[in-house]
Amino acid sequence: MSLPLSLRVPLAERAFISVLDLFKPGIGPSSSHTVGPLRAAAAFVAALPDLENVAQIECTLFGSLGSTGVGHGTPDAVLAGLAGHRAETVTRDDVQRARETADAGALPLDRRHPIALAADWLRFAPREIKPRHPNALTLVARDADGRELASETYYSIGGGFVEREGDVVAPGSGIVVPHRFDHADELLALCRETGLSISGLARENEAAVRTAADTDAALDRIWAAMSACIDAGLSSSGVLPGGLRVPRRAAAMAERLRSIQEANERDCTLEWLQAYAIAVNEENAAGGRVVTAPTNGAAGIIPAVLRHALDIIPSHQLPGGDAAEAARQFLLVAGVVGGLIKSNASISGAEAGCQGEVGSAASMAAAGFAHLLGGSTEQVENAAEIAMEHSLGLTCDPVAGLVQLPCIERNAIGAGHAVAAARMAMHGDGTHLISLDTVIRTMRQTGEDMSRKYKETSEGGLAVNYVEC
């Protein structure tokens, strides 16, 4: 049975969600099933008061983590976290080494205390659903006599965000920002009152956390990582791991598109948009370094639309006449929309289906693109609303629990969806009957009504109807 989002145990105070919280470097293939569990395991082992007495670690993966954890690399992510790796810096090789050392009987907890894991250290419990969130894992540490030293339950709530059982205050709750808003209508009112654009308002809120120079530098690093992921995907060929033997296509697409352009046969900008998105999500599926945007499963949409925007908009028409500043503003605007969606609905495929991942990313990207096109605050909000409205009901049904089919192509379609929504919004004056708040609320309700088998469990949809020949 599916858990209504309204049954989640609320934290005491709504936290400020920084753009740097939404856009985080990590590895594939899943922010909720890979990055989140790695963060949880690393936090668990780092907090152990008597690490030298730990002789055994046990882990139980509940709900969606238990259903598709193997396909999403959850067990190896937990091992990497126990070994002391951090999501921001871990590599594919680090994860592989953690697995190899665990298999050899000497997993180094927090990089300094090797233990031999029991054969049954990991338990899958896909039918056991915790009330707080369907992505839950419990970690237990025991001494040589089997006595429990510590036990914690964590919730991987999407986008790499992790909550711990017992927490009542979310990180960021104590941050006081100059422009507080919880809904899009409040955001629009603030922009009208202050005369600020959404990016300008977001920048002033970020200043409550760090200096403007530090925010710019962090945004530059985010865009550099996104761009590097596109380039890596466009230059990589072969077959994706996982057993489906899905061929990588982005590199071949790029080669063909270059030939078409050299022959001046036709405009290829929208096909490049698709290639960018596919490139990122092939990297993600291969366990490469990506940026949650707002999740790994939807990580290709925002980078693809941002690079597309920089491809087609003349530099003198960009904000500040500069590509770097345009990228910062795009990410700020997208981050504001993502924060609204996360606060009022969900960015978790296990909680809301793919409308919470690809739908959210398309909405965020549409807003950012409309901003770079010179859209008013109302047009930007309209773009976000259009993209989310037409993503409602999108299910999460990964074949074999892998973030490959239909996820990779879905990012390419989602990127096109975002561009179309922004273009459509630019032909209006921002006035529209259905608000972004209404669509976000509807997405939340749709997620509550959606059958569990269509929410990242691989128990419905394409996941069961695909037959491998």
Side-chain angles (χ1 to χ4, degrees), residues 32 135 158 295 346-354 356-357 396 454-456:
S32 60
N135 287 336
T295 67
S346 178
I347 58 170
S348 167
E351 195 171 32
C354 204
E357 296 200 44
C396 184
Y454 296 117
K455 293 192 281 190
E456 209 165 7

Side-chain angles (χ1 to χ4, degrees), residues 306-333:
L306 177 47
R307 183 172 284 194
H308 170 76
L310 298 179
D311 283 348
I312 67 166
I313 301 175
S315 59
H316 68 276
Q317 294 180 11
L318 292 170
D322 177 71
E325 175 58 20
R328 294 175 198 134
Q329 293 190 22
F330 182 106
L331 293 172
L332 286 166
V333 171

Side-chain angles (χ1 to χ4, degrees), residues 423-444:
R423 292 289 190 186
M424 190 178 298
M426 293 299 292
H427 284 285
D429 62 0
T431 304
H432 53 109
L433 296 177
I434 300 175
S435 70
L436 177 58
D437 285 329
T438 297
V439 173
I440 292 174
R441 183 168 61 250
T442 303
M443 191 267 271
R444 180 187 180 110

Side-chain angles (χ1 to χ4, degrees), residues 253-272:
M253 286 180 68
E255 186 175 351
R256 278 195 298 274
L257 290 172
R258 292 186 194 101
S259 297
I260 292 169
Q261 285 181 318
E262 289 172 3
N264 200 26
E265 294 179 18
R266 65 171 186 273
D267 176 72
C268 297
T269 51
L270 290 179
E271 290 162 274
W272 274 111

Side-chain angles (χ1 to χ4, degrees), residues 186-412:
E186 297 169 349
L187 169 66
L188 292 174
L190 281 170
C191 288
R192 285 191 288 267
E193 291 170 11
T194 62
L196 293 168
S197 66
I198 293 175
S199 69
L201 186 145
R203 195 183 290 277
E204 291 194 0
N205 278 351
E206 294 293 332
V209 183
R210 69 193 76 80
T211 68
D214 286 344
T215 293
D216 283 352
L219 292 170
D220 290 345
R221 288 193 296 271
I222 289 168
W223 174 231
M226 287 179 169
S227 195
C229 189
I230 293 175
D231 294 338
L234 291 178
S235 61
S236 300
S237 57
V239 175
L240 294 173
L244 291 177
R245 299 197 60 77
V246 174
R248 296 181 69 140
R249 293 182 291 171
M253 286 180 68
E255 186 175 351
R256 278 195 298 274
L257 290 172
R258 292 186 194 101
S259 297
I260 292 169
Q261 285 181 318
E262 289 172 3
N264 200 26
E265 294 179 18
R266 65 171 186 273
D267 176 72
C268 297
T269 51
L270 290 179
E271 290 162 274
W272 274 111
L273 171 72
Q274 294 176 337
Y276 298 153
I278 288 173
V280 171
N281 282 83
E282 287 178 348
E283 278 296 289
N284 178 60
R289 291 198 63 73
V290 298
V291 176
T292 59
T295 67
N296 282 28
I301 294 172
I302 287 171
V305 174
L306 177 47
R307 183 172 284 194
H308 170 76
L310 298 179
D311 283 348
I312 67 166
I313 301 175
S315 59
H316 68 276
Q317 294 180 11
L318 292 170
D322 177 71
E325 175 58 20
R328 294 175 198 134
Q329 293 190 22
F330 182 106
L331 293 172
L332 286 166
V333 171
V336 166
V337 172
L340 288 170
I341 295 170
K342 183 182 185 304
S343 295
N344 295 293
S346 178
I347 58 170
S348 167
E351 195 171 32
C354 204
Q355 59 173 358
E357 296 200 44
V358 163
S360 296
S363 183
M364 295 164 67
F369 188 39
H371 175 75
L372 294 194
L373 290 173
S376 66
T377 299
E378 289 76 17
Q379 287 171 318
V380 169
E381 184 263 355
N382 190 196
E385 178 272 322
I386 293 170
M388 178 54 77
E389 178 184 349
H390 300 289
S391 300
L392 291 175
L394 193 59
T395 60
C396 184
D397 48 356
V399 175
L402 300 170
V403 189
Q404 298 177 14
L405 303 174
C407 314
I408 295 171
E409 286 183 355
R410 188 168 286 172
N411 273 257

